Amino acid sequence: MSATESHNHVKKLATLAMLSAIAYLAMFLFRIPIVLFLKYDPKDAVIAIAGFLYGPLSALIVSLVVSAVEMFTTSDTGWIGFIMNVLSSCAFVCPAAFLYSRKRTIRRAAIGLGLGVVLVTIAMALWNYIMTPIYMGYPRAAVAELLLPVFIPFNLLKAGLNTALTLLLYKPVNTALRRAHLLPPAPESSAPGKRTSLGVTIASLVLLASCILLVLVYMKII
């Protein structure tokens, strides 16, 4: 490994460590109980940014690190909670990171995150059906009755919120990291058009506001 490659590797590790710490803080500071034992937190948005920067394997590593620290500090669900957290984060983030790594455009990022919303909703419906009776003591028939009114809407809202946050935060974070020389300068051709950026920003804000309103309705606050 050349000196340049070694230096870039160190910068990558430092950036991933920083993003892991931010993801943990996002989970710790902004965890919001929604319904039953289900809580929303924005750590998946940070993990998605790591995936967009460095690919799906890096997103998996950040997810494992954050979920492990969470298991030993704030979680009361032990290894089952760890597995569920990793599965949820990876189902949402890794498909989007993979698609974006193939073609780094804002449209591809949005498509990937949309696919992640669908996959995480399906995956967590299945895994909640399997695992919830084990660690919550619910009869499996009772869990099945909760899939449509509870688990599926919750995961749709959670993934929708994190999709909006990812699209809103990725460009500022990317720019800040480049200015700090933790990432190489962006090629001129990679910059999205102003109309595309504006459209994605508006769509993300609408999605964010809509999901927040739905969460408030779901929690019977409004």
Side-chain angles (χ1 to χ4, degrees):
M1 182 182 294
S2 67
T4 300
E5 290 175 336
S6 178
H7 184 61
N8 289 337
H9 184 66
V10 170
K11 289 196 290 186
K12 176 181 176 179
L13 290 178
T15 303
L16 290 176
M18 178 180 64
L19 291 171
S20 297
I22 293 171
Y24 177 80
L25 287 174
M27 178 280 302
F28 183 77
L29 295 175
F30 302 106
R31 180 185 291 184
I32 303 170
I34 303 296
V35 60
L36 298 179
F37 56 88
L38 300 173
K39 300 178 178 70
Y40 167 77
D41 67 70
K43 70 174 180 288
D44 283 351
V46 184
I47 297 172
I49 290 172
F52 282 175
L53 291 173
Y54 295 115
L57 180 58
S58 293
L60 171 61
I61 292 170
V62 173
S63 174
L64 287 168
V65 169
V66 175
S67 297
V69 175
E70 181 179 351
M71 177 176 65
F72 289 112
T73 56
T74 64
S75 176
D76 56 4
T77 55
W79 65 271
I80 294 178
F82 168 80
I83 292 172
M84 297 291 278
N85 276 326
V86 173
L87 288 171
S88 177
S89 294
C90 290
F92 173 63
V93 170
C94 289
F98 176 78
L99 285 178
Y100 185 71
S101 69
R102 296 293 178 178
K103 188 176 182 181
R104 292 179 170 269
T105 65
I106 193 68
R107 181 176 297 178
R108 183 62 67 95
I111 292 171
L113 289 168
L115 176 62
V117 171
V118 175
L119 291 178
V120 73
T121 302
I122 294 171
M124 296 318 294
L126 173 63
W127 281 98
N128 275 294
Y129 178 73
I130 295 171
M131 302 297 285
T132 300
I134 297 174
Y135 73 91
M136 293 297 294
Y138 287 6
R140 186 152 279 124
V143 175
E145 292 178 358
L146 292 173
L147 289 177
L148 189 58
V150 175
F151 291 112
I152 290 175
F154 170 78
N155 283 293
L156 281 171
L157 287 173
K158 178 181 177 181
L161 283 166
N162 287 328
T163 292
L165 289 174
T166 302
L167 291 173
L168 289 170
L169 295 175
Y170 175 64
K171 185 178 178 180
V173 170
N174 187 295
T175 300
L177 291 173
R178 293 189 191 282
R179 288 177 177 172
H181 304 293
L182 291 172
L183 292 174
E188 290 295 330
S189 59
S190 69
K194 290 183 179 180
R195 183 174 298 179
T196 300
S197 295
L198 179 61
V200 170
T201 299
I202 292 172
S204 300
L205 288 171
V206 170
L207 176 60
L208 182 64
S210 300
C211 288
I212 290 173
L213 287 174
L214 286 171
V215 167
L216 295 176
V217 170
Y218 203 57
M219 296 173 68
K220 299 180 180 179
I221 295 176
I222 61 174

